[in-house]
Each structure stands twice: as C-alpha cells, then as structure tokens.
Amino acid sequence: MIKAVNLSKTYKMGEKKVEAVRKANFEVDKGEFFVIEGVSGSGKTTLLYLLGGLDRPSEGTVEIDGQDITRLSENQLAKFRLKNIGFVFQTFNLIPTLNARENVEAAIVPTGMPAAERIERAMNLLKAVGMENRWHHLPGKLSGGEQQRVAIARALANNPKVVLADEPTGDLDTKTGLKIIEMLKELSLNNGQTVIVVTHAPYVAEYATRRAKMEDGVLTFAD
Amino acid sequence: MFTCKYAFWESLRRPGKTLFVALVVALSMLGWLFINAYAKALFSAHEKVMRPLKDARIDFLVTSPRTDAGKNLPAGGNEVTFVEEKGQITPGQRFTKDEINLNSLRIFSSREMAEIAEYPSISQLVPALIVQVTRTEGRYPEKIVVEEETVAPLSPEEKKAIDAKLKSNPEYQALSGKYAELQGKVAANSASEEEKKQLQETLRKMQQIEYSYYPERFKKFKAKEIKPPPVKASQTRFVVAGIDATNPDFGLLSKAEIATGSYFSANNAAEVILRKDFAEEKEIKIGDVFSLRDKQLKVIGFAKPTTGLSSAEVYLPLGTLREVVKNEGANVLLVRLKGVERAAKFKETLAKILPDSQVVEPQEMSSQISGALGKTEVLIKEYASFLVAVIVLASIVIVTISLVLTLTARRNEIGVLKVIGWSHFGICRQVAAELVIQTLFGILLSLAVALVLLVVVNNLDLKLNIDFNSVEKNIFGSEYKTFELFHPQFDWVAFLKGSLAALCLAVTVAFLTVSVFNWKTPFKKMEQRGE
C-alpha cells in the first residue's frame, strides 16, 4: 500500500545541515494502524508530510498504491491527495469562518460533487463522528475533541485509502484523546483504510497493529 | 456557490480589511466617476455654445455700428410730459408710444448693397433691419387743464375794409365770376363732375385770398390748448428685427426656429412673431394683436431662436418693418459664400466697399466664446486618463499589499485547503471571490457617495458666464448672457465601465498575487524546526 524507499529529508538551518529523516525504508499494508512514536523534534512529522506529499524528500521515493508521489507536480499531488489521502492535524486546522458542515464540505468541493449531494455526504460524515447535532457551529464554538472529530470527518470526506494523523491527541485530554484514537482504529477495521499516526502519547501505541520509533531522523521498528 | 459563501463569510470575518479595500476601490471609482462627469459636463457645455453658432449656416454677418448708440434707460419709470397739439386727450385713457431708434447701426445704402451683391463669390445675400424700440406706456391723468382763448370778432369797419380790398383784387374778382357761373350750373343740375371739382377748387382759392386780408389775431388763433400735467409712465426697450420672409431657411430667424404657430406669409404682411419668453412675459397669445406705433400686427407665432445670431424679441417681415419705420434700408447683411476658402478675399473686398463695417463670422465667434471651454475639455481629456491611471495604479498597489498581508496571515488556512485537495486554481478563485466581494462593497459605496456629491455639486448653482459684449453688443442686444451649463451628471455608462474594470482588476490581482507568492503548506515553520 505505502512504500518508502531510502526516504531522507535534509534542512539547512543557517550553516548547519539537519537530517530530519534518514534513509527510511518501510512498507505499510492496507488496513494497518501504524503508529510512529517519537519525542518532539525527532522528525516524525516531517516523515508524515513526506508520505502525504506535503513536502518533497531530499532523497528516496514514496509509493502509494504503486504511484510514486515524489514525481508528481503540485496540481497532480493536490488531485492525488484529494482522492487518496486524508489528513488529521494536532491543531485541527479547521477553517474558522466555516461551520462544521461547511468545513467537511470544503474537502468535497474540489471533486465537483453537486451541492445537495455534497451537503448530504457532509452530514453523514458528521453523523459518523457523532457531530450531526452540532453541524451549524463554527469551530470557535466547539471543544477540542469536537473540533478533532470534525477534522476526522473532513479527512474521510472523499473516502481516502490512507489517513495520516499528526499528533491527533496532542491538544486533547487523555479521555477525549482515547475516543479519537478509537475512532481512527475503527476506520482501519471497518473500512480497511490504512491509518498512520504520529504521536508521542504512549497510550496511542497500544492500538497499533504495528509500531515504529523515530529518533534523530532514524526510524526503527519495535520488533 | 460554496466559494461565494466562503468568500462572503471571510469578508465579514475581517471587517477592517474589507472596509479598507472597499474604501480604496470607492476612492478610485469616485475619481473615475467625477472625472467622467466633469468631462461630460464640459463637453456638453462646449457643445451647447458651439451648436447655435455652428448651425447658423452663415459665413458673415455684416454691420456698421455707430459709436454713439446704445444709451441705457434708467430703471423704473420716467417722467414724461405730453403736449398734444392735434387730437383730444381723453382723461384717464391708457396710452402707448413707441420711439424707434434706428441709430445704433448705420443703414446701408442701396448702392452699397448692390456692390456687395455683385461680388462673384456670394451665394446669397439677405438684408435685415434691426431697430431698438423704446415703448412708453401709461395712463393719462384724470384731470387735464384746457385753456381756451377767445378772439374778438370783426368790427363793421374792419369788415368793410376787407370787402373793399377784395373787390379791388382782380384775381379775386375773376374767381368770384367763375364761382357764380359754376354755382349757377350746379343749381341747374347741368354741372359735370369736372365742373363740380372746379367749384370746390375756386372756393378754396377765394378763401385763401380772403384769409390773407384778415387781421393777424385771427391767424394766430387757437381755440383750445391742452396742458396735461406730467404722468408716471413705464418704459421698456426691445429689439425688433425685420427679416426677409422670402428666405425662410436663412437669416436671423429661420422657419425651423418657430416653436409655435407659423412663419410669415409675405414680406409685407401685417404679422408678427414674438420670442417665446417675451410673449410669456407679456402674456400675449397667438392671434392677439400686437401694435408697433400705429401698425396693428397679428401675432402668428412664437420663436425660440437657436442660432444665437439675434436676440430680438420681436420679428416682423422686412417690408412691414420698413413701412413702420418709414425707411427702405437694411442695417444687417447676412452673407453666405460659395465656398469657405473665399472668406479672406471677401473680407478684403468688403473692407474696400464698406470701410466702417464690422464683420462677424459665426464659426470664429463660436470658437472665441467657447474657447475656454474647449481648452478645459481638452485638458480634462488629456490629463484625466493620466490621473485615472495614477489613481488606479495606486489602488492596485495598495490592494495588492493589503492582500499579501492578509494571505500571509492566512497562510495556514491556504495550506489546509491545499492539503485537503484544493488546486492552485481553486485557491486563486477563492481569493478572487473574496476580493470581488470587497470590490463590490467599494463600488456600491462609490455609487452612493457619487450620487450624493453630485446632488450637492449641482445645488451649488454653478453657472458659466459667456461674454457676448466683446463679440457684438448691437447684434446680441444684451451685454452678456448667462448659461446654466455646468451640470455634471452621473454617468451610468462610466460607472458600469469602471465597475467592470475594477472587478476584472480584482480578479487579476488575486490570481497574480496567489501565483507569485504560491503558499505551499501551512507547516513551513514546523519544517524549519525539524519536527
């Protein structure tokens, strides 16, 4: 499903070169709940962005369903992400001027789906994450957990093959965080979607079908 | 629809920025609208002045003004003293006296006119007569003092002496004989018509001889002398133009300038056409009788002169006016040449024939009068585009800077849109929609402000004074005219053009700004931190 080969990313910080990701080689199968642990600054978010095509690797390739996304142009990547990848962020990144339903709709708009159908789909997704009664609220009026649930609904808007979650529980209390993780776990179990979660919360790892650890840009697998 | 909704909410979320962009757009639009409104107002003012003079279709208007003419009347009434020697004045009766002034312009002699008419380049020469009439109107006093003088009758001695002298006068004796003979024939009914006339003539001659023998007191005898006191009378002055009715399409008043009624039927018809405003002021209707001196004229029409060649209030057929003023001449000559290129040569010839003449060229006159307007219009046309370009350029720069600042602040949001699959075009379209909404606010604001400001400007009662005095006082009659020309109007076409341009520019600025800055992801800072 996802294949990273010699994946590396190097930044320049002034005179200094920082190797955020060092020759990562791994594969993630369909339906896996893959958790990458690591402390802050270990390079795990960079790895996630490389996998999602949000950033270009300095070296190596990323294949998703046999498609090398490192060779795609910006617009091709946008289209690819639209159909294949859903993102969940630590800070939710909802659009503040749009209500919950519109935030979900925003992810469907580029597909050109008719408005009525788009609204219905957005409401179904909100229902799936238990937010159907709060659809008209702006993000500012929602709690952190509620915002993250909306963000998950948005990530699933186009039924992607892969869901990439960057510290999805980072801004949530443990109880809410657990609910979110359970929700993501259900996705991989019920829909067969591949979920890759980057986290430093130890309890998240317990849900993983496979775990890896990131230390100074080097990815190591637990077993 | 989603894009519009998103753009609308986004514009409301940032009211300061929306208002700022709207104000910048509104200022640009106002600049554009006002430049257009003023340019258009000046253009129409220019046209308004030029049109009448251009339409005159006359190449030259020849007059010979007199320097001592044109004394102004005092305002209000004048003390007028009447000495009525011939008729009887009825106390309390209204009176009207017209004093006609033919002295303002020299009357051209028939020889001079014939000489000008002979000039080969002349296509048409039409004479006209312009006179100034001072009308005194009032009412005779109720009481008029009549002084009567009685003359002592002839004494028997005086009668005897006169009889003796007559009998010794052979001429008188011959006339007496002839008279007796003719009277006999008349009494016998045998007198012919010729003889009856001779009888009357003989009697008249006999009376003349008798009168020469009467004492002096009988010769100076006045039965009555009427001495009315001075009365308060009002005086008005108006210009009367006698126009050649045989040329209804050419001259001081053409057929086309008749607003109501008809044109003259003949050159000596007892008809009059009044200028519409003059008739309204005097409350005269078509069909009424208008008298000029003793001549009764039927009002057949009202004129609204458009050529600006004459400011006469009253128009008469030339023959009729000549009859009234008892002058067969003309003091204005209207000349049409066979070609404009012959104008200079004609002027030279005219200066030889009529050295004291004054030549007015309507085309040249129109340029003189409207020269300042024309210059202003050119100035506006030339510099307005530059000014508008500067305003628009400044607005584009300001709006672009504002957009860059806003997009920098929304970098995260733009990045999220990219992450969830929005294309570059989709993001450009979104930003463009937001800018279009803000521009629309600006356009509406400019519309409201422009409409209010134009009402204010037009209420300032701006007028343009055009000095006719320098051109030809005697022809135009009044010293100068004031035209209410300057009324800048809201130009809807300019508004639509400006709005369209503003919206197109907004879309262009949005697409270019987003493309040039090309925000990639919301995570640059994180990446730099090496997370």
Side-chain angles (χ1 to χ4, degrees):
Chain A
M1 178 67 200
I2 299 176
K3 188 180 178 185
V5 179
N6 283 334
L7 197 61
S8 301
K9 181 71 183 177
T10 309
Y11 294 113
K12 269 188 178 177
M13 288 188 73
E15 295 287 306
K16 211 173 151 188
K17 270 189 178 180
V18 177
E19 287 183 293
V21 178
R22 297 182 195 193
K23 293 191 184 300
N25 286 289
F26 63 94
E27 283 185 37
V28 183
D29 291 331
K30 189 183 174 192
E32 266 198 272
F33 192 89
F34 183 46
V35 176
I36 302 169
E37 295 173 283
V39 293
S40 185
S42 60
K44 57 186 187 300
T45 298
T46 306
L47 176 64
L48 199 73
Y49 292 170
L50 291 173
L51 295 176
L54 296 178
D55 204 356
R56 302 266 180 195
S58 307
E59 202 182 323
T61 57
V62 176
E63 280 181 29
I64 296 176
D65 248 5
Q67 170 77 56
D68 182 359
I69 65 165
T70 57
R71 292 175 183 274
L72 298 178
S73 68
E74 279 292 314
N75 268 339
Q76 285 172 326
L77 265 174
K79 278 183 188 168
F80 185 83
R81 278 197 294 265
L82 181 68
K83 290 175 184 170
N84 299 290
I85 304 170
F87 279 91
V88 179
F89 303 99
Q90 179 183 350
T91 51
F92 326 126
N93 283 330
L94 296 176
I95 294 163
T97 46
L98 302 179
N99 64 30
R101 192 193 74 200
E102 288 164 347
N103 263 286
V104 180
E105 274 187 76
I108 312 169
V109 165
T111 64
M113 189 184 281
E117 208 178 315
R118 185 179 71 218
I119 290 167
E120 191 186 345
R121 175 153 180 78
M123 285 306 289
N124 285 339
L125 287 161
L126 286 173
K127 197 175 176 182
V129 295
M131 288 294 291
E132 72 271 26
N133 295 327
R134 311 253 313 163
W135 68 268
H136 55 283
H137 286 278
L138 289 173
K141 300 287 178 189
L142 298 173
S143 68
E146 286 173 326
Q147 284 191 58
Q148 196 59 297
R149 280 196 272 172
V150 175
I152 289 168
R154 183 179 66 183
L156 302 175
N158 299 313
N159 202 19
K161 291 168 185 161
V162 181
V163 175
L164 302 174
D166 181 17
E167 302 270 13
T169 59
D171 278 11
L172 305 173
D173 59 72
T174 311
K175 192 181 168 188
T176 315
L178 272 171
K179 279 184 182 172
I180 293 296
I181 290 301
E182 279 168 6
M183 200 176 281
L184 289 170
K185 178 72 181 174
E186 268 177 43
L187 284 175
S188 65
L189 286 174
N190 299 339
N191 303 341
Q193 286 163 317
T194 305
V195 179
I196 300 177
V197 180
V198 162
T199 184
H200 60 261
Y203 63 87
V204 178
E206 290 172 18
Y207 292 84
T209 52
R210 199 146 62 101
R211 295 160 63 176
K213 200 167 186 180
M214 196 81 177
E215 262 183 315
D216 296 329
V218 179
L219 187 71
T220 50
F221 289 86
D223 37 74
Chain B
M1 193 61 203
F2 182 85
T3 306
C4 292
K5 195 161 59 176
Y6 183 8
F8 181 74
W9 289 124
E10 189 56 42
S11 297
L12 287 189
R13 182 169 73 129
R14 299 169 196 276
K17 191 244 174 180
T18 303
L19 191 65
F20 179 74
V21 173
L23 280 173
V24 171
V25 172
L27 281 173
S28 301
M29 281 290 290
L30 280 172
W32 164 251
L33 289 172
F34 267 79
I35 283 166
N36 266 283
Y38 273 70
K40 210 173 170 184
L42 281 168
F43 181 74
S44 65
H46 190 199
E47 278 295 295
K48 199 171 174 182
V49 174
M50 292 288 276
R51 198 185 307 118
L53 299 160
K54 277 180 177 171
D55 289 351
R57 298 194 295 131
I58 288 167
D59 296 318
F60 291 106
L61 193 139
V62 184
T63 57
S64 184
R66 289 184 168 173
T67 48
D68 57 342
K71 284 178 188 171
N72 286 331
L73 287 166
N78 241 10
E79 289 288 323
V80 180
T81 308
F82 293 94
V83 178
E84 186 67 45
E85 292 178 348
K86 289 176 185 172
Q88 177 73 40
I89 290 173
T90 311
Q93 192 187 36
R94 285 202 64 82
F95 67 88
T96 301
K97 278 176 75 77
D98 288 333
E99 192 184 316
I100 293 177
N101 178 15
L102 261 172
N103 298 327
S104 61
L105 296 169
R106 187 168 73 78
I107 302 286
F108 296 115
S109 68
S110 49
R111 185 189 55 81
E112 287 169 332
M113 281 197 276
E115 270 187 68
I116 296 168
E118 276 171 16
Y119 187 70
S121 297
I122 285 184
S123 154
Q124 213 169 355
L125 176 78
V126 174
L129 188 61
I130 290 181
V131 297
Q132 287 180 346
V133 176
T134 306
R135 174 161 288 185
T136 309
E137 288 173 295
R139 195 183 288 277
Y140 290 122
E142 294 297 333
K143 279 185 180 177
I144 296 170
V145 178
V146 179
E147 287 182 3
E148 289 193 50
E149 193 181 339
T150 51
V151 181
L154 289 170
S155 64
E157 289 77 24
E158 282 172 321
K159 203 167 170 39
K160 209 174 174 180
I162 289 168
D163 284 345
K165 280 179 185 175
L166 285 170
K167 279 175 186 170
S168 61
N169 186 327
E171 192 187 354
Y172 189 80
Q173 282 173 2
L175 287 167
S176 297
K178 195 179 178 184
Y179 182 78
E181 183 192 338
L182 290 167
Q183 206 174 26
K185 282 185 179 179
V186 170
N189 270 338
S190 60
S192 64
E193 284 301 313
E194 182 61 29
E195 282 168 334
K196 282 178 186 172
K197 276 185 186 173
Q198 280 179 12
L199 178 70
Q200 291 299 318
E201 182 63 18
T202 309
L203 183 64
R204 194 182 61 77
K205 283 178 181 170
M206 283 171 70
Q207 282 174 341
Q208 271 185 356
I209 295 168
E210 282 169 17
Y211 187 71
S212 65
Y213 288 98
Y214 270 67
E216 281 304 304
R217 69 173 189 277
F218 281 94
K219 290 178 188 173
K220 287 180 181 175
F221 170 74
K222 283 181 191 170
K224 283 178 182 175
E225 191 172 2
I226 302 157
K227 288 183 178 174
V231 294
K232 190 82 174 171
S234 68
Q235 281 188 315
T236 50
R237 197 171 69 165
F238 52 87
V239 177
V240 179
I243 56 172
D244 185 2
T246 57
N247 280 296
D249 300 321
F250 176 66
L252 293 180
L253 184 75
S254 69
K255 212 169 181 176
E257 291 169 292
I258 306 297
T260 327
S262 56
Y263 197 71
F264 301 117
S265 57
N267 230 353
N268 55 356
E271 294 166 343
V272 64
I273 294 171
L274 303 176
R275 209 172 68 196
K276 203 165 186 289
D277 55 342
F278 178 76
E280 282 167 1
E281 188 193 322
K282 302 279 178 194
E283 296 179 349
I284 299 171
K285 292 182 209 68
I286 289 178
D288 286 358
V289 172
F290 181 87
S291 57
L292 187 63
R293 277 199 175 156
D294 298 332
K295 186 80 178 171
Q296 303 284 302
L297 304 158
K298 187 185 176 188
V299 179
I300 58 160
F302 297 145
K304 221 172 176 181
T306 55
T307 61
L309 286 170
S310 160
S311 65
E313 286 89 359
V314 179
Y315 295 90
L316 262 65
L318 184 60
T320 311
L321 183 61
R322 280 174 170 171
E323 189 190 324
V324 171
V325 300
K326 294 180 177 62
N327 193 308
E328 288 301 308
N331 55 12
V332 177
L333 300 177
L334 302 151
V335 178
R336 191 187 286 170
L337 295 179
K338 285 175 182 164
V340 186
E341 68 281 357
R342 306 179 193 213
K345 189 79 182 160
F346 173 75
K347 276 172 87 174
E348 278 178 32
T349 311
L350 195 70
K352 285 175 194 163
I353 302 169
L354 299 169
D356 57 343
S357 67
Q358 188 171 355
V359 176
V360 177
E361 291 172 77
Q363 290 288 342
E364 188 191 305
M365 190 162 71
S366 65
S367 304
Q368 282 173 15
I369 295 165
S370 61
L373 289 171
K375 279 174 195 165
T376 316
E377 187 201 340
V378 170
L379 201 72
I380 291 254
K381 273 185 180 170
E382 280 182 0
Y383 291 100
S385 49
F386 173 73
L387 202 62
V388 168
V390 169
I391 292 171
V392 169
L393 202 69
S395 303
I396 290 172
V397 170
I398 294 167
V399 169
T400 307
I401 292 169
S402 153
L403 187 63
V404 168
L405 292 172
T406 311
L407 289 179
T408 306
R410 292 171 65 190
R411 195 179 181 124
N412 194 55
E413 188 180 324
I414 303 292
V416 168
L417 291 174
K418 282 205 159 191
V419 165
I420 62 174
W422 281 46
S423 63
H424 175 70
F425 175 79
I427 291 165
C428 287
R429 187 179 58 188
Q430 184 58 43
V431 175
E434 289 168 16
L435 205 54
V436 161
I437 285 177
Q438 289 154 3
T439 304
L440 278 173
F441 281 137
I443 289 168
L444 290 175
L445 189 66
S446 71
L447 175 68
V449 174
L451 287 174
V452 171
L453 276 181
L454 281 172
V455 168
V456 173
V457 167
N458 283 326
N459 279 339
L460 291 176
D461 200 24
L462 294 171
K463 286 178 184 174
L464 284 183
N465 291 338
I466 295 165
D467 189 0
F468 277 74
N469 197 33
S470 60
V471 184
E472 175 53 87
K473 185 165 74 177
N474 294 306
I475 294 298
F476 286 94
S478 53
E479 290 188 3
Y480 69 90
K481 289 184 175 182
T482 301
F483 284 111
E484 287 185 34
L485 296 168
F486 204 66
H487 285 297
Q489 299 294 320
F490 189 82
D491 186 349
W492 285 100
V493 175
F495 173 73
L496 290 175
K497 277 185 191 171
S499 303
L500 198 66
L503 293 171
C504 289
L505 280 171
V507 172
T508 310
V509 164
F511 270 78
L512 285 176
T513 310
V514 176
S515 299
V516 168
F517 285 83
N518 193 20
W519 284 268
K520 285 181 181 174
T521 68
F523 316 111
K524 202 76 182 170
K525 284 179 186 172
M526 292 181 195
E527 287 165 1
Q528 284 170 350
R529 286 204 306 270
E531 283 186 17

